[in-house]
Amino acid sequence: MRLWKVLGIAGVAGVAATGAIMARDQRRRAQVTPDEVRAKLHERLREPERR
């Protein structure tokens, strides 16, 4: 019975940590402007040509 409690607590902690990571990534993406995204995409497109 005690093992199940430990596994349950570990599962809840894992879900909470995953949610925190996803929220942080979403905030980071929300701060990027469309012009910055476009510039990064154009830079990636030109990268193979430089090699």
Side-chain angles (χ1 to χ4, degrees), residues 1-9:
M1 184 71 155
R2 183 179 171 132
L3 174 65
W4 292 111
K5 287 182 183 179
V6 172
L7 289 175
I9 291 172

Side-chain angles (χ1 to χ4, degrees), residues 15-38:
V15 169
T18 301
I21 290 170
M22 290 177 70
R24 182 185 62 196
D25 289 341
Q26 180 62 30
R27 282 193 304 267
R28 188 178 301 151
R29 277 192 299 260
Q31 291 177 350
V32 178
T33 65
D35 291 332
E36 291 172 338
V37 172
R38 190 176 303 111

